[in-house]
Each structure stands twice: as structure tokens, then as C-alpha cells.
Amino acid sequence: MRLKSLIKTEKSFVTQVIIVFIILALIPVISHGEFFVSTLCLSVIWAIMGIGWNVIGGYAGQVSNGHAMYFAIGAYVGALGLKWFNMTPWVTMWVGVIISMALAFLIGYPLLRLRGHYFAIATMAIVECVRIICTNWDLIGGATGVSFFQRGANPLYTLQFENRIPFYFICLAFMLVFVIVSRVIQRSKFGYYCRAINANQDSAESAGVNSTFYKRWAYMISAAIVSIGGALYAQYIQYIDPVSLLPLSNSMLIVLVVVMGGIGTIWGPILGAFIMTFINQYARALFNQLSGLNLFIYGVLCLLIVLFIPNGLISIFTSGKLTRLFKKNKSAAKEVN
């Protein structure tokens, strides 16, 4: 009975996953534009990072403003592993995951004792320290950065393709895996405890929930997923440096992806990532003389969402607003006729 109940409960989610995969798989087949496919790749990478941040920020309620650090770890380990040791990113990305989780464990122990804006400010300070270290560390390229394009190598080994479409499908596969992981977390005891901590940490602790333990694991899982996003981004861009990986704006954009789409939801980070990335890329392409226009648009959108759609854009589809609007328009059309 329990298995039948589980299948029935998850039937809707499985259907959603299949529909989203089919739509996202068909988009690059319909449109072969290089810039368009490149933007799709970036959208999926940002969606992976949004899913990762959502574990600590959406479920556990700890607003981290320093996830660019784990993004950079994944990128640097993948880039340097390929450049120095000719190791495939299929291996080095998991090395980056181990390093990111270990670092999250070490710094999470003192940081996660902080709450609210104290935790947010502390994470900002740490990522800024990491940026300064990477900028002055000549062994990993310093401020100059690292270029690691492998000409003539097997593209499946290096994840460096002349055509972006194969890389897009690899990124899409990772994204869908993490969507399923996010669902498993959401439905597990771990997820319930995280949401209880988010709702009221003191009440959760009085009920016997070890908040430090669960927040630390949420932080470590979050760091691991974001690190994978960084590893994929490195192979996408084929050049990394502290300026592109570790500015505070990257940490803010990871948060914005989730807030825009819908914090604490499965599909919100994906919706937010696609909207944010397409606005960013096309605003830069169309208005290249107006630097910072994309950030202005982000700010306006964020303000509008906070004021009018506080639960994110995904709430438009999940709260029945579209259905009510359709019924209202249908009844208005009948009155006119």
C-alpha cells in the first residue's frame, strides 16, 4: 500500500519532469542559433546553482551570500585538473564536490551558529577573503586567470565541444538529476526538519530537532551542487579568473535566481534562471553601449516580484491564478456574445 501511495503521489511530479525534459530537449533542435543555444547552456548552469542554493536558503532558511566561493571551487578544480594533469572534468568535478563539502563543513560549524543577517554578512565576508586570496595566488593563475582550452582532444573527455548542443544536453541531464534530488530532499525527513527550522528554529529545537546538524548538512549539500555548476561553467567558458567567478554579484545572482522563480520550490530556481539569463544575455547584446542595464532590469524585476508576487513567478502557475484569469476572461467573452 505504501508503494502504491508513493507512486500515486509522485505521478504528478514524474509527469512534470518528463514534460520539462521534452520541452527543453526540443528547444535547441527547433532553434539552431549559436547565441541562443549558448544562452540555453548558461540558463541550465544557473538553474543548477539555484537548485543548490535552494537547499540551504529555501528549505533550511539560511540566506547565504557567499555561494560564489563553491562555484569558484568547482570551476578552478575542473580547470586546473585539465590543464595540469589532463584529467577529465567527469572526475575533477567530483574532486571539487569533495573539497566544497569539506570546506562547507569546516566553515559551517561556526557560521551556522549565526542567524539572519549576521549569517548573510559573514558569508559575504568569507567569499571576499577567498577572492583576494585567489587574486594574489600565482600558483592558480592569480589575477591573470587560467586558460585551458584543449585543442584536438576528445570532446567527451574534456567537455569542450565545437557545437554547444551536446554540452547543453549534458548540462540538462545534470539539472534533471538535481531536480530529482531536490524532490527527494523535499519529501524526506531531512527536508521536513529543514523546513521546521526555517519556520521556527526555537520551536524545532524544543521538539528535538538538532538544528545545527541539519543546517550543516543542508549547507554541505548546497555547496556540492553549486560546485557542479561551477565545474560545468568552467568547461563552457574555457577561461576562468577571480573577477568572473568571485565577485559579490555572482553570489547575489544565485540568490536572485531562486527569489525570482520561487524560494523553497522545486521548479522556481529553474524558471528564475532561464528568465534571468535570457534577460542578461540579450540585454547585453541589444544594448551593449549601456553597461549595467541588465542589473537595472534585475533590480526592477526583483522589486516588482517582492511587491506583487512575493512567492516568486512559479506561484502564478501553482496558485491557480492562471485558471481564475482564464475563467474570468471566458465569462467576460460569453457576456459580450
Side-chain angles (χ1 to χ4, degrees), residues 306-327:
V306 169
L307 289 175
F308 301 107
I309 320 174
N311 294 322
L313 293 172
I314 199 69
S315 65
I316 297 174
F317 303 94
T318 58
S319 62
K321 291 180 181 179
L322 287 178
T323 305
R324 290 195 296 270
L325 182 62
F326 177 76
K327 289 181 179 178

Side-chain angles (χ1 to χ4, degrees), residues 60-274:
Q62 310 302 305
V63 180
S64 169
N65 290 328
H67 266 52
M69 173 172 56
Y70 304 114
F71 172 59
I73 289 172
Y76 267 105
V77 171
L80 296 175
L82 189 60
K83 185 178 179 67
W84 289 352
F85 308 109
N86 197 32
M87 290 179 63
T88 175
W90 293 108
V91 173
T92 55
M93 67 172 62
W94 301 111
V95 177
V97 164
I98 293 170
I99 294 172
S100 295
M101 292 187 74
L103 185 60
F105 176 81
L106 291 174
I107 69 173
Y109 185 78
L111 283 190
L112 289 168
R113 296 177 181 274
L114 304 173
R115 298 193 190 184
H117 56 276
Y118 296 107
F119 175 74
I121 293 171
T123 55
M124 290 167 62
I126 286 179
V127 77
E128 184 63 15
C129 292
V130 172
R131 185 189 65 80
I132 294 171
I133 291 170
C134 291
T135 302
N136 293 279
W137 193 359
D138 292 334
L139 181 63
I140 61 172
T144 306
V146 180
S147 178
F148 53 97
F149 176 64
Q150 299 280 7
R151 190 181 301 277
N154 186 338
L156 278 175
Y157 184 85
T158 62
L159 291 183
Q160 296 177 0
F161 300 88
E162 291 184 10
N163 189 323
R164 294 284 192 189
I165 291 179
F167 183 72
Y168 168 72
F169 280 108
I170 290 172
C171 293
L172 183 61
F174 273 102
M175 188 195 80
L176 291 177
V177 167
F178 290 130
V179 165
I180 295 170
V181 169
S182 182
R183 179 64 171 180
V184 170
I185 291 172
Q186 188 185 62
R187 299 282 295 174
S188 66
K189 183 176 74 171
F190 173 79
Y192 288 125
Y193 284 171
C194 284
R195 290 197 294 277
I197 293 167
N198 184 8
N200 191 316
Q201 182 170 324
D202 294 328
S203 296
E205 288 176 347
S206 67
V209 176
N210 186 341
S211 62
T212 302
F213 174 83
Y214 287 103
K215 286 194 296 183
R216 190 182 303 157
W217 268 104
Y219 192 49
M220 291 165 64
I221 294 169
S222 177
I225 297 174
V226 171
S227 177
I228 293 288
L232 293 172
Y233 178 80
Q235 306 310 320
Y236 166 83
I237 206 73
Q238 296 166 16
Y239 169 79
I240 57 170
D241 66 337
V243 173
S244 62
L245 296 178
L246 286 163
L248 186 59
S249 60
N250 272 0
S251 293
M252 296 296 100
L253 290 178
I254 295 172
V255 178
L256 182 57
V257 160
V258 185
V259 172
M260 183 182 292
I263 193 168
T265 64
I266 297 290
W267 299 108
I270 297 170
L271 180 62
F274 274 79

